Amino acid sequence: MSRRTVLFVLANPEPGSFCHALVDAGRVALETAGHDVQVSDLYTLGFNPVAGRHDFVGAADPGRFHYQSEQARAARLGAFSADIAAEQQKVAAADILVPVFPLWWGGPPAMLKGWFERVLAYGFAYVDGYRFESGLFRGRRAVFAVTTGGTPARFSVDGVYGPIEDVLMPVRRLGLEYMGYEVSEAFVAYAAPRVEPEVRSEYLADFAARLMEVAALPVAPVRSDIHPLDLGPEAAWTRSG
């Protein structure tokens, strides 16, 4: 088996949460098998989820804040703030990206949403003409783990919340697949706060096994045909929106 670098992005404020337990189980399994593991525990890091001018060193336009324009400049010049640059280095090094989060109001916590917005920036994670099947992270792997309060029945076709695949579509399709990641089926620990201890133990073992399966899949090398420095000083979309 080839050695992989795996990045967990953990978004749960409680150190004793089941999300933390999932990451611990996955990390131990992967490291035991010889893989390299990094964990970005966003709450422990005190990661700021709020985008703004503080994301950048300098400015493309001091008079008008257009986020993607500033991201394009920062990608060209290496002018992201230190916290963003540190996370981007982790993402760039990772063969497999593993967001782990509780489902809150039908989506990830604001902490993780802010991480996506600030870290997976234009010029770093995507550029015009390179999305989905041609995305910059094409060939890299991703799988996300979610804990829910609801049971499987509530996330069924006839359930009150609808199929879990539909609930998670924005994270999967409009987030990870948008950047070119090949995304494995989400791991869902249903009703994690309410199930019996033996069920939680099964969840942990199953998640570790899922990660080992993903780690055994082929991973494409980093793309070398597109580089942020190739971006022009301004794209057409920067004049609107």
Side-chain angles (χ1 to χ4, degrees):
M1 180 184 296
S2 299
R3 186 171 184 169
R4 304 295 186 213
T5 298
V6 182
L7 173 61
F8 290 95
V9 183
L10 172 59
N12 192 305
E14 169 50 49
S17 72
F18 197 65
C19 286
H20 283 74
L22 286 168
V23 171
D24 288 343
R27 176 183 56 78
V28 169
L30 290 164
E31 289 181 341
T32 299
H35 300 294
D36 297 318
V37 177
Q38 286 190 302
V39 179
S40 281
D41 184 337
L42 301 185
Y43 282 91
T44 297
L45 289 172
F47 185 82
N48 181 4
V50 180
R53 285 199 179 274
H54 54 268
D55 289 0
F56 313 105
V57 178
D61 184 350
R64 178 179 181 268
F65 184 62
H66 186 279
Y67 197 45
Q68 284 183 314
S69 299
E70 299 298 339
Q71 288 180 326
R73 173 188 175 276
R76 290 195 306 274
L77 303 180
F80 286 105
S81 60
D83 60 337
I84 292 177
E87 293 301 300
Q88 288 177 340
Q89 289 176 1
K90 297 175 189 177
V91 172
D95 299 306
I96 304 169
L97 180 64
V98 189
V100 181
F101 58 94
L103 194 66
W104 288 355
W105 289 104
M111 182 73 84
L112 183 58
K113 181 64 163 56
W115 184 90
F116 269 78
E117 292 172 0
R118 297 182 68 218
V119 174
L120 304 178
Y122 182 86
F124 168 72
Y126 68 101
V127 294
D128 289 348
Y130 293 87
R131 301 181 176 93
F132 297 111
E133 288 76 13
S134 61
L136 300 185
F137 287 86
R138 180 182 177 185
R140 304 284 189 94
R141 300 283 175 179
V143 58
F144 50 95
V146 181
T147 60
T148 76
T151 62
R154 293 194 173 192
F155 288 98
S156 66
V157 173
D158 298 323
V160 292
Y161 303 141
I164 190 67
E165 295 82 8
D166 293 347
V167 174
L168 296 176
M169 187 275 289
V171 179
R172 179 189 181 107
R173 182 62 180 166
L174 304 181
L176 298 173
E177 290 181 348
Y178 184 87
M179 295 178 292
Y181 281 100
E182 295 187 33
V183 185
S184 297
E185 181 182 357
F187 183 89
V188 184
Y190 292 102
R194 303 204 297 261
V195 296
E196 297 299 321
E198 55 269 25
V199 177
R200 286 195 288 271
S201 294
E202 290 176 5
Y203 280 152
L204 296 175
D206 290 347
F207 181 54
R210 172 74 64 80
L211 290 173
M212 294 302 297
E213 292 173 358
V214 175
L217 297 172
V219 175
V222 176
R223 295 193 64 169
S224 59
D225 57 327
I226 293 296
H227 190 276
L229 295 178
D230 296 331
L231 292 171
E234 189 173 89
W237 47 256
T238 65
R239 297 188 181 277
S240 62

